[in-house]
């Protein structure tokens, strides 16, 4: 309590302790509220994302149970599970899955690295863009199966041509997205970096790359999808192991249950690897976002 400056009645001032308590409570509520909001969208995303797969599984089970579609055209979910158990007992299922994952990861790593380097070069240098863009644009338009006969003749029939084909598939999405994103980095950011005396390499790592992190991750995700597509092309044409070989072998033997199994495994593995890239995206955005 204190007196009014004009000499009037005493004036009651708010307690500083009360103010501190109020701020603390508001701050705690503000911190807790985003956590609740983050938890709810994640649960909602999981529920909504499961609706269509569960619905398709129910339709599939209904069609097979009622014999609406003959079993030689549409095997039941139980038959597909039985085919997976059969391959597992033969020691083939894990071998096919692991060899395909290995090929994709190696080819994707090589191709994405080359794509990042080429994208940075073309995106940052006008001369490099004029020199390389026409050739890379033409190579990007070549279908995946057109590369395979050439690679087999040049590199043989073992792992090298398959991994090379997957790497080719991974190069162009990363190159296209990264080069385009770097060309459109805000020039004011670049000017500020130069004003602070940053070298060309420091400007790239501290200013330009952080500005295009979302685009880089999008390019990596596209490249990963392309890697799985090119894997199937490589294994369909010249392989004795892998999920692509399982597709081809199942077609030749009329095993629709194994054919469905291979497709489901490819889709599941593609989604899982994409989710891993998503985890890396969150780490990059936390570091540079």
């Amino acid at each position: 309590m204190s007196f009014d400056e004009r000499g009037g009645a005493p004036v009651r001032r708010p307690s500083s302790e009360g103010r501190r308590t109020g701020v603390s409570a508001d701050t705690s509520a503000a911190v807790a509220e985003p956590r609740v909001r983050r938890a709810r969208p994640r649960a909602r995303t999981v529920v909504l994302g499961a609706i269509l797969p569960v619905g398709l599984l129910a339709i599939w089970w209904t069609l097979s149970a009622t014999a609406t579609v003959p079993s030689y055209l549409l095997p039941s979910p139980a038959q597909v599970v039985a085919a997976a158990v059969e391959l597992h007992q033969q020691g083939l299922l894990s071998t096919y899955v692991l060899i395909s994952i290995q090929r994709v990861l190696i080819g994707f790593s090589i191709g994405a690295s080359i794509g990042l380097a080429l994208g940075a070069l073309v995106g940052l240098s006008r001369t490099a863009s004029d020199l390389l863009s026409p050739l890379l644009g033409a190579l990007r338009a070549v279908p995946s199966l057109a590369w395979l006969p050439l690679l087999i003749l040049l590199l043989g029939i073992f792992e090298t041509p398959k991994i090379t084909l997957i790497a080719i598939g991974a190069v162009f999405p990363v190159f296209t997205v990264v080069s385009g994103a770097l060309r459109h980095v805000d020039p004011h950011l670049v000017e500020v970096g130069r004003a602070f005396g940053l070298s060309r390499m420091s400007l790239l790592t501290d200013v330009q790359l952080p500005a295009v992190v979302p685009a880089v991750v999008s390019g990596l995700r596209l490249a990963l999808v392309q890697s799985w597509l090119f894997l199937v092309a490589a294994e369909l044409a010249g392989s004795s192991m892998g999920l692509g070989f399982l597709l081809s072998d199942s077609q030749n033997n009329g095993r629709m249950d194994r054919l469905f199994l291979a497709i489901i495994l490819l889709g599941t593995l593609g989604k899982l690897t994409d989710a891993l890239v998503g985890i890396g995206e969150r780490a990059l955005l936390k570091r540079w976002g």
Side-chain angles (χ1 to χ4, degrees):
M1 180 179 297
S2 64
F3 286 92
D4 183 31
E5 293 178 357
R6 293 171 297 180
V11 177
R12 183 178 298 274
R13 298 188 182 276
S15 170
S16 60
E17 182 179 354
R19 286 201 303 270
R20 285 196 299 268
T21 305
V23 170
S24 178
D26 292 342
T27 304
S28 300
V31 171
E33 185 177 359
R35 292 178 181 172
V36 175
R37 288 180 178 177
R38 281 197 298 267
R40 287 176 181 173
R42 286 176 184 172
R44 180 175 180 272
T45 300
V46 171
V47 172
L48 289 179
I51 289 176
L52 284 179
V54 172
L56 289 174
L57 181 61
I59 294 172
W60 178 16
W61 181 85
T62 302
L63 290 176
S64 60
T66 58
T68 305
V69 181
S71 61
Y72 62 86
L73 293 178
L74 183 66
S76 67
Q79 289 175 309
V80 174
V81 172
V85 172
E86 179 186 2
L87 286 173
H88 175 69
Q89 291 174 344
Q90 295 173 359
L92 297 176
L93 185 61
S94 59
T95 301
Y96 288 170
V97 169
L98 292 175
I99 194 66
S100 291
I101 292 175
Q102 175 181 294
R103 288 166 177 164
V104 166
L105 293 181
I106 295 174
F108 168 75
S109 300
I110 296 171
S113 300
I114 296 173
L116 282 171
L118 289 175
L121 183 63
V122 171
L124 297 173
S125 170
R126 183 69 180 177
T127 302
S129 176
D130 293 338
L131 180 65
L132 296 174
S133 291
L135 176 62
L136 293 175
L139 293 176
R140 182 175 52 194
V142 177
S144 59
L145 289 177
W147 290 104
L148 197 55
L150 175 63
L151 293 176
I152 290 176
L153 288 175
L154 292 177
L155 303 175
I157 60 173
F158 298 105
E159 290 298 297
T160 305
K162 300 176 183 63
I163 292 174
T164 303
L165 183 63
I166 295 168
I168 291 172
V171 165
F172 295 109
V174 178
F175 160 74
T176 303
V177 172
V178 171
S179 60
L182 285 173
R183 288 195 197 103
H184 294 90
V185 171
D186 188 351
H188 295 94
L189 291 176
V190 178
E191 290 300 324
V192 170
R194 288 173 178 165
F196 278 96
L198 295 180
S199 65
R200 181 179 293 271
M201 182 58 65
S202 298
L203 194 65
L204 173 64
T205 57
D206 297 338
V207 177
Q208 292 167 308
L209 281 182
V212 299
V213 164
V216 170
V217 175
S218 297
L220 291 175
R221 283 185 158 174
L222 291 172
L224 193 55
V225 172
Q226 283 285 92
S227 297
W228 284 104
L229 293 174
F230 276 58
L231 166 81
V232 173
E235 291 183 343
L236 279 174
S239 180
S240 59
M241 289 188 296
L243 295 176
F245 168 74
L246 181 60
L247 282 171
S248 177
D249 185 65
S250 301
Q251 178 192 14
N252 294 334
N253 294 298
R255 292 294 303 268
M256 289 293 290
D257 51 352
R258 292 188 176 185
L259 195 65
F260 270 69
L261 173 63
I263 293 172
I264 292 170
L265 287 174
L266 285 168
T268 303
L269 291 172
K271 177 58 182 174
L272 289 176
T273 51
D274 181 74
L276 292 176
V277 176
I279 295 173
E281 176 184 15
R282 288 192 290 273
L284 287 174
L285 290 177
K286 185 180 295 185
R287 168 65 177 84
W288 279 332

